[in-house]
Each structure stands twice: as C-alpha cells, then as structure tokens.
Amino acid sequence: MTYSIKYIPAKDLELIQTKWRELETGEEMTLFQSYEWYVMLLKYYIPEDTHHFESVYAIVEADGKPVMIAPLWIIKKSFRILNKKGIYLIGRYSFSDYLNFVYRYFDSEAFDFLVRELRQKYGTSLFTFEDLRESTSIYQHIVNSYQIIENKEFPCVTLQLPPSLEEYHKMLSKNSRQNLRTASNRLQKDGKTLIFNDDDQQVDRQECIKLREEKLSVKYADFSLFWKYKYRIINRLRYTFPFFTPITHYTNSKVMTAYDEEGKLRAFFNYGYDPGNKAIRIMAAGTDLNFARYSPGMLLMHQFILKSIQEGKLQIIDFTRGDEKYKFALGGELCLNHTVKFSIS
C-alpha cells in the first residue's frame, strides 16, 4: 500500500466535499465529524491563519484513494505561554463534543504515515488530540502505539435505546421513576400543564440562549474564588477562538421544547442527528429556574425517549459531555472522552 498526503487550507473546504461525505458515513463518526458541521466551523469558528498557527485538512490517500481526513489546527510557534507548538484538532474549545479524524474504516498505517509526515513538515513531535471518545479506534491506536505524555479523561453520558418501553422502564432506578411521577403530580396539583414539541421550528432561539445562560450563571456562582481567579488567568493566556453556539449558528440543529399553558418556554434541548439518523447528539440545554420544581427538562426528554422507542428509528440519545445527574436518571450510562498528549521519536 502506497500512502500520500494532500494538504487543503481550511478555507477551501468545499473542494473536498465529495471525499468528506464518502468518509463521514463510518460507524465511528458522529454529527461532529459531518461535513455540515465543518461548514459551520469554517463560517463561525475557524480563525484566519497567522504566523503563529494554521488550519488545514490533511487528506491521506492509499494508492490514490482517500481513506482519512485529518482536520488539524497547527501551532507553528509557541505564544502566550499556554499555546505550545504542536499538532491539534480543529474544534477544540468549542461545541464539538467529540473530535476525530474523518474515516469510514480506521487505517492505522495511514495514521502512522500521517503523524510522521506532520512531524517532518512542521518540525514538531508533540501531538495533543482532545475529546477523543475512548471507544474509537484512533484513541485505542494512539494509547497502544505511541509514547503518551499525558492522558486525561472526561465524562460523557449516552443512552442506548432498548427495543421496548418495558425494558426502558426497567433501566430506570426506583428513585428516577418516583421523581418523574412527582414532577407530573406537582404539575397536576398546581393546575399547570406542559406542552411538548420534539422539533419546534417556531421557537425563539434567543430565548433558549437566555435560559441556558441563566443556568450557567448559577453554576458558575458556585465556583470558589480560587477557581474563578484561576480560569480568568487561563482564559487570558490561552488563545480565544471565536464564539459560536449551535442553537443559532448550526442551521441543521433542532430544538425540542416544553411550554407551560401560557405559552412560556420552560425547558429545551438543542440537538442534531448523526449522518444516518440513528443517533442524536444533545448540544445545549436549558431550564427556566423559576419552574425547576416541576422538572420540565426531565419530563420533556422522558417523553421524547418513550416516543423514540415506540417509533423504533433512533438507536442512541447521546447527552455528550458532562455527567449531570439528570442524564443518568433518564437511563444514560457513563462513557469517557480523552485528551491525549503524545509524541513520536
């Protein structure tokens, strides 16, 4: 097998659309490896090249046939202390919950060829790949084949949908079932109702952002002064990528909503489908804190899960990064993301 590499600047993404779409159908690919996702990144997130870094797609071909696309953010020159020279992945520090190369089938020899060529081309042996799913072939190959400098793990939660409502009911703990009943009973007792919409095309997405920010502000308020000060320093030293949110910037994203009887938005989940439509990835969520005692987000997602099981089309509901309690209460199981720093000799 003869391997070769073509380097395409990030701004020229459209030139490799056909190749990308052929490779994004692999079993290990997610929404965050889809061509449409990178169209959004190019428009709102990927910065212009500077003398410090560049954004590029490295296309690895085997006997002239594309087998792998590596979306790379390459720091060519260390700057501001925390931004070390090395090879990184496009999508870091963003809403891209899972990072990866794009491939139908993982080719370990193609990967090895690429990292050797990158080392020679950019003069660095340091690679830092963030948010790699532990179950992926690329992660397993790296930890088994390279000199690992650092390997940090981060929680994610995924729900594999069972074939029947009865089996799903058995997946939930006694406490979870009770909490769902309690929330419904509170609504009924207080004379309130919730109206659910699984694909709300009329939702005010700015209102969704507002709910999310209110929830995050409460979470941030619980941090100690030490951690607030630490993160403030880190954010000043680390390169700041342009901000985007899939709620308003990803045109293919959907929003499921829960409104009260007066038409006020009480909870939402922003999500998108993987290529193949067998899984959804939750990208953002929010709950009206003034309505929290009724658990509108839990009830909203619970009814969506029940409906999805009955329809039998969806296989996975992925709550992605974070280990919030509600994810497990709804039947999700812990998965791990890894940030792996490695070098080649």
Side-chain angles (χ1 to χ4, degrees):
M1 193 78 71
T2 301
Y3 293 101
S4 59
I5 302 174
K6 295 179 181 177
Y7 295 95
I8 306 297
K11 63 182 179 62
D12 294 329
L13 174 63
E14 187 176 356
L15 298 179
I16 57 174
Q17 177 178 174
T18 301
K19 296 177 181 178
W20 196 298
R21 292 189 183 279
E22 290 174 356
L23 296 176
E24 71 176 15
T25 58
E27 290 186 2
E28 296 185 351
M29 301 296 96
T30 71
L31 158 71
F32 306 110
Q33 282 73 58
S34 67
Y35 178 78
E36 282 79 8
W37 186 261
Y38 276 82
V39 168
M40 177 193 64
L41 292 183
L42 178 59
K43 187 174 182 180
Y44 298 110
Y45 161 86
I46 298 176
E48 294 290 335
D49 294 352
T50 73
H51 66 287
H52 288 303
F53 56 81
E54 67 176 275
S55 304
V56 65
Y57 307 113
I59 305 174
V60 185
E61 297 183 344
D63 294 335
K65 182 179 179 180
V67 296
M68 183 180 293
I69 299 176
L72 303 173
W73 193 65
I74 299 158
I75 297 181
K76 298 181 290 185
K77 179 181 179 182
S78 297
F79 64 101
R80 276 192 284 176
I81 303 176
L82 295 182
N83 306 284
K84 301 297 184 181
K85 179 179 179 179
I87 311 296
Y88 303 81
L89 297 177
I90 291 176
R92 61 195 308 247
Y93 305 138
S94 77
F95 276 87
S96 299
D97 287 76
Y98 305 132
L99 300 182
N100 202 342
F101 289 3
V102 183
Y103 51 84
R104 288 192 66 189
Y105 309 100
F106 182 72
D107 185 332
S108 59
E109 293 184 7
F111 180 89
D112 295 339
F113 176 77
L114 173 61
V115 296
R116 290 196 301 268
E117 292 297 310
L118 289 171
R119 180 193 175 193
Q120 182 175 351
K121 179 178 176 64
Y122 292 101
T124 178
S125 60
L126 179 64
F127 293 76
T128 302
F129 289 173
E130 295 142 317
D131 292 315
L132 296 180
R133 292 193 296 162
E134 187 174 85
S135 60
T136 56
S137 301
I138 189 172
Y139 170 76
Q140 295 297 329
H141 180 65
I142 290 172
V143 296
N144 291 326
S145 305
Y146 289 88
Q147 179 182 346
I148 304 301
I149 300 172
E150 186 177 68
N151 188 350
K152 296 181 179 179
E153 62 181 39
F154 304 91
C156 302
V157 181
T158 299
L159 172 60
Q160 298 275 348
L161 294 179
S164 70
L165 295 179
E166 181 181 3
E167 289 181 67
Y168 176 67
H169 185 73
K170 292 179 179 178
M171 290 170 59
L172 301 182
S173 69
K174 182 179 179 180
N175 186 57
S176 294
R177 295 194 296 268
Q178 180 60 50
N179 288 341
L180 288 166
R181 285 195 296 269
T182 298
S184 296
N185 290 338
R186 283 176 177 171
L187 282 170
Q188 186 175 8
K189 181 180 178 180
D190 294 347
K192 298 182 181 296
T193 58
L194 282 175
I195 302 169
F196 303 124
N197 189 329
D198 297 337
D199 181 11
D200 190 346
Q201 299 183 19
Q202 305 301 320
V203 64
D204 182 346
R205 297 197 177 212
Q206 293 298 328
E207 185 66 19
C208 292
I209 292 176
K210 180 181 177 181
L211 287 188
R212 181 176 181 273
E213 289 178 345
E214 289 175 353
K215 184 178 180 180
L216 290 176
S217 65
V218 171
K219 182 178 180 180
Y220 181 73
D222 292 334
F223 289 1
S224 67
L225 289 176
F226 169 79
W227 282 106
K228 290 179 181 178
Y229 184 67
K230 178 180 178 180
Y231 282 119
R232 190 176 296 120
I233 294 175
I234 290 175
N235 289 333
R236 286 179 179 177
L237 294 176
R238 188 172 63 192
Y239 177 77
T240 303
F241 288 90
F243 176 78
F244 73 92
T245 168
I247 299 172
T248 53
H249 293 73
Y250 184 47
T251 56
N252 287 342
S253 77
K254 299 180 181 297
V255 182
M256 67 176 78
T257 54
Y259 295 90
D260 66 14
E261 66 281 358
E262 296 178 354
K264 183 174 178 59
L265 181 65
R266 296 300 190 177
F268 81 92
F269 289 95
N270 179 224
Y271 66 97
Y273 282 89
D274 276 359
N277 295 327
K278 295 297 183 180
I280 66 167
R281 312 289 171 178
I282 305 298
M283 299 177 290
T287 299
D288 186 339
L289 299 179
N290 296 321
F291 208 77
R293 72 183 301 268
Y294 302 107
S295 303
M298 281 279 290
L299 294 175
L300 169 62
M301 181 55 71
H302 183 248
Q303 67 83 33
F304 181 82
I305 292 170
L306 298 182
K307 186 180 296 186
S308 298
I309 293 173
Q310 290 176 311
E311 293 175 347
K313 299 177 182 179
L314 203 60
Q315 297 176 357
I316 296 172
I317 295 178
D318 187 356
F319 296 105
T320 60
R321 294 183 298 200
D323 57 356
E324 293 86 349
K325 291 181 180 179
Y326 81 88
K327 300 178 180 181
F328 296 105
L330 288 166
E333 295 185 348
L334 179 67
C335 302
L336 293 176
N337 260 12
H338 289 260
T339 289
V340 184
K341 185 181 295 185
F342 65 98
S343 65
I344 61 173
S345 55

